Amino acid sequence: MAKRSVIPWLLVVGIGAVAGALAATGRHPLALGRRGLSTAPPRPEIALHVGSELSAAAWSLRDTLGQVPKTIREALGFAPENLAWREDLELPPLTYELRIRGLAVGRGQLRPSGLLAIQTVGTAEGQLPGEPFTEVVTNRSGVWIEEQDAGQARLLGYDVLHPSFIMALHVDTLVRRHLHEMLTREETHHILDHARRFIPRTVDELCSRLAVGQIQQVLKNLLREQVSLRDLGFVVETMADAAGEDIDTDTLTERVRLGLRRQLSRDLCGPDNELRVLPLGTRWEQLRTHSFTDENLKPLIAQLRERLADGRDSLQRPVLLAPHDLRLKTRRALERDLPDLPVLSEREVDPSIQVIRLPDLVLL
């Protein structure tokens, strides 16, 4: 019997396989980042600094890497225009480092020759000879192998990946995590000017209720959790409906998220169109009156990491489900340790979505 691949859903859709988003973006007149928008203001430089050996292998790495901004733009409606490539002799030869505005946001190592064979369910260490390596995004163990050994690795149940894909996946993940930092005030003006060409009255209504800085902060809050802006018209309309007097931007963002619940739910569904959720559980009621501290977060983070690892083994992509009034508090508390974990409130799950509830988390 063939072994089941455990390359997670993120690996399948993270680089280029966003057919649904592509279709929606291609048809919608307010999709951001289309080629017709040639007057966009300059964005903060995003550069990948690479060591000497990686720089020498640029011909085999840069094509796949160059698809990252396009993939993110098609999925989230906003992305850097391009990704600069910089040789950096101060870095170790096999090291790369992503920098935004000249500051490092993450680094990794890569062997530019050969292929990476990643262990899957049922494979064991030592079946393949080679240099050990841990893929940084999914924390999967594997070994570097020569190209002629790829067939044997696949027969043994390993997933075999090209180095360019490993690098592109890591860079894609880092850019998405920091995408909100790239939404400047000037960029927000550009987005509103673009939207005004198609829905002028709605944009005017929104701008009469909120300052541009408030609109910017709401959009940044959405991007911070990788909520797509590709349907810009609906995002602007939802924000205008939710805006009111004396409302802070965090509360406004939560209201906008409720308006986008169908999109939120659909974007977080797995390939089987099911939403697998990890409920916080009833004992979390006590956290309504207690603050999140490092001590009471440690058991939760440990449980979540274990559940997420189990989910990867079964091709699941769990989402943390929280009470509505605890959603943002929970997300911000876990952001440092689990930056890619989606957190939905119970009210943000669209009724038309099939929900698979996993066992509740236990607060120790």
Side-chain angles (χ1 to χ4, degrees):
M1 181 181 294
K3 289 181 167 57
R4 191 182 192 188
S5 169
V6 295
I7 290 294
W9 187 59
L10 172 63
L11 284 171
V12 177
V13 303
I15 305 295
V18 285
L22 273 166
T25 305
R27 291 194 299 266
H28 202 286
L30 287 179
L32 300 183
R34 297 175 65 182
R35 292 182 180 179
L37 293 178
S38 58
T39 58
R43 294 171 181 166
E45 183 187 67
I46 303 180
L48 189 69
H49 289 239
V50 298
S52 58
E53 287 195 38
L54 295 183
S55 180
W59 60 272
S60 68
L61 300 173
R62 292 185 65 173
D63 285 348
T64 304
L65 189 70
Q67 296 301 310
V68 168
K70 179 182 177 182
T71 299
I72 296 176
R73 189 177 305 116
E74 288 164 348
L76 298 180
F78 179 78
E81 290 296 328
N82 52 59
L83 187 63
W85 178 279
R86 302 273 187 266
E87 182 177 8
D88 192 333
L89 298 180
E90 294 184 1
L91 289 175
L94 298 177
T95 297
Y96 60 89
E97 186 174 79
L98 185 70
R99 299 181 187 177
I100 300 176
R101 295 188 178 94
L103 300 177
V105 297
R107 69 160 54 186
Q109 290 186 324
L110 196 71
R111 180 176 149 182
S113 61
L115 300 169
L116 179 64
I118 295 183
Q119 291 177 226
T120 65
V121 176
T123 61
E125 293 184 12
Q127 287 183 292
L128 280 176
E131 178 187 347
F133 184 82
T134 299
E135 197 280 305
V136 66
V137 174
T138 62
N139 202 34
R140 292 288 177 190
S141 298
V143 294
W144 290 107
I145 62 174
E146 301 301 325
E147 291 191 19
Q148 63 264 26
D149 298 324
Q152 179 190 1
R154 293 189 179 99
L155 287 175
L156 290 172
Y158 285 79
D159 285 313
V160 180
L161 303 176
H162 192 274
S164 62
F165 182 80
I166 301 295
M167 174 184 279
L169 176 66
H170 189 196
V171 172
D172 178 276
T173 301
L174 291 172
V175 172
R176 289 174 190 252
R177 287 177 187 172
H178 296 273
L179 192 60
H180 63 286
E181 300 174 19
M182 305 171 208
L183 184 65
T184 62
R185 186 72 58 88
E186 197 65 33
E187 187 69 47
T188 304
H189 277 288
H190 172 71
I191 288 173
L192 292 173
D193 289 343
H194 175 59
R196 192 174 275 110
R197 293 162 51 192
F198 302 95
I199 49 171
R201 295 179 182 177
T202 304
V203 174
D204 289 343
E205 179 185 353
L206 175 62
C207 292
S208 70
R209 297 182 179 183
L210 296 174
V212 173
Q214 292 174 295
I215 297 171
Q216 176 194 13
Q217 189 57 54
V218 172
L219 295 178
K220 289 181 71 169
N221 285 346
L222 294 173
L223 289 173
R224 185 174 176 177
E225 297 193 49
Q226 300 185 29
V227 177
S228 178
L229 307 183
R230 63 180 181 266
D231 191 348
L232 179 60
F234 188 62
V235 171
V236 169
E237 185 171 333
T238 304
M239 199 185 310
D241 290 340
E245 294 183 3
D246 301 323
I247 183 172
D248 64 86
T249 53
D250 282 345
T251 302
L252 178 56
T253 304
E254 295 303 289
R255 292 185 183 180
V256 172
R257 287 176 58 94
L258 284 178
L260 298 173
R261 67 177 182 175
R262 181 174 300 151
Q263 173 189 306
L264 289 175
S265 299
R266 294 290 179 186
D267 286 349
L268 292 172
C269 282
D272 51 8
N273 206 35
E274 295 177 343
L275 185 68
R276 292 172 171 81
V277 299
L278 290 167
L280 282 179
T282 56
R283 294 184 64 185
W284 278 85
E285 291 292 329
Q286 62 185 279
L287 290 176
R288 295 186 194 281
T289 55
H290 292 77
S291 61
F292 288 131
T293 65
D294 288 341
E295 282 305 311
N296 61 33
L297 277 178
K298 285 179 181 177
L300 171 63
I301 291 170
Q303 284 188 74
L304 283 171
R305 283 178 171 156
E306 182 178 350
R307 293 289 190 89
L308 293 173
D310 292 342
R312 284 195 293 264
D313 289 343
S314 58
L315 293 180
Q316 294 179 338
R317 191 194 187 205
V319 173
L320 188 61
L321 191 65
H324 180 68
D325 59 332
L326 286 178
R327 194 210 73 82
L328 183 59
K329 182 180 180 182
T330 304
R331 163 66 186 179
R332 295 282 169 84
L334 299 176
E335 188 174 35
R336 182 184 64 183
D337 295 283
L338 299 166
D340 302 316
L341 174 65
V343 181
L344 282 183
S345 81
E346 295 162 339
R347 292 171 58 186
E348 291 172 349
V349 178
D350 189 76
S352 65
I353 297 292
Q354 183 176 359
V355 177
I356 306 298
R357 296 180 70 94
L358 303 174
D360 287 5
L361 295 160
V362 179
L363 181 63
L364 301 176

